[in-house]
Amino acid sequence: MTKKKQKRTKNNIVPSGTKETTYNVDPESYIKKTPVWNFNKLDFEHSKWCPQRCDNFIEVVIKKLKHYEGMTWQEIDAAAGGKRRGTNNHLIPIDKLCKEARDRLLEVLKIYDDEIYSLRLDGTTRLFGIRNDRVFNMIWYDPDHEICPTKKK
């Protein structure tokens, strides 16, 4: 009859039964990264907010996105300008969008997020999408600031 060898752990340490995370990810780490553009959710079917409304998509949209690629999300979020105070690019609660946009997000696009991201291209032109980590999932091209209209003073 042979004796069974008893297994030894490294350094004779007996595991306690609890797990420890060895790799921690900062949930805010995306703000230090440059953006990535995704067009999978782009709404080509909407008559007013589809990219086909842009006569010169490369000049107006792609060149601006290329400019943003040289910035981190923190820099994009902090960008300010225009006539009003505040940032040009920011999250907007879904309940602040016009009814048509809210309904389309839920019923047609099946997007149930609480917020949507607005990316300013120029005076009234915006790109709206969902920002997931460093990826901006473009949904709409809004040349007339209709999706989230501002109140005039």
Side-chain angles (χ1 to χ4, degrees), residues 91-106:
L91 285 168
I92 299 172
I94 296 297
D95 63 350
K96 299 288 185 196
L97 304 180
C98 69
K99 182 176 179 356
E100 184 179 358
R102 288 192 314 265
D103 291 348
R104 188 147 181 93
L105 278 175
L106 296 173

Side-chain angles (χ1 to χ4, degrees), residues 3 14 19 34 52 80-81 94 96-97 110 121 144:
K3 283 187 176 181
V14 179
K19 292 184 178 182
T34 56
Q52 295 93 309
I94 296 297
K96 299 288 185 196
L97 304 180
K110 307 292 186 213
L121 300 181
D144 302 316

Side-chain angles (χ1 to χ4, degrees), residues 61-125:
V61 178
I62 301 298
K63 283 193 175 184
K64 188 66 174 187
L65 293 179
K66 185 178 176 185
H67 169 74
Y68 282 136
E69 285 178 349
M71 302 167 73
T72 64
W73 274 112
Q74 186 170 19
E75 293 167 328
I76 293 169
D77 287 343
K83 294 180 181 179
R84 297 190 180 206
R85 292 184 191 162
T87 59
N88 292 337
N89 313 303
H90 49 89
L91 285 168
I92 299 172
I94 296 297
D95 63 350
K96 299 288 185 196
L97 304 180
C98 69
K99 182 176 179 356
E100 184 179 358
R102 288 192 314 265
D103 291 348
R104 188 147 181 93
L105 278 175
L106 296 173
E107 296 166 12
V108 178
L109 302 174
K110 307 292 186 213
I111 295 173
Y112 305 104
D113 292 51
D114 295 331
E115 299 174 310
I116 191 168
Y117 195 81
S118 170
L119 194 63
R120 181 179 188 261
L121 300 181
D122 64 31
T124 60
T125 309

Side-chain angles (χ1 to χ4, degrees), residues 7-45:
K7 288 187 178 179
R8 297 179 120 186
T9 58
K10 204 173 192 178
N11 299 330
N12 294 327
I13 299 172
V14 179
S16 66
T18 60
K19 292 184 178 182
E20 251 185 70
T21 304
T22 56
Y23 182 70
N24 291 325
V25 177
D26 177 9
E28 297 294 316
S29 65
Y30 75 90
I31 65 172
K32 298 173 185 144
K33 296 178 183 177
T34 56
V36 174
W37 314 115
N38 183 301
F39 301 94
N40 285 342
K41 296 185 185 301
L42 194 56
D43 188 0
F44 284 101
E45 306 304 318

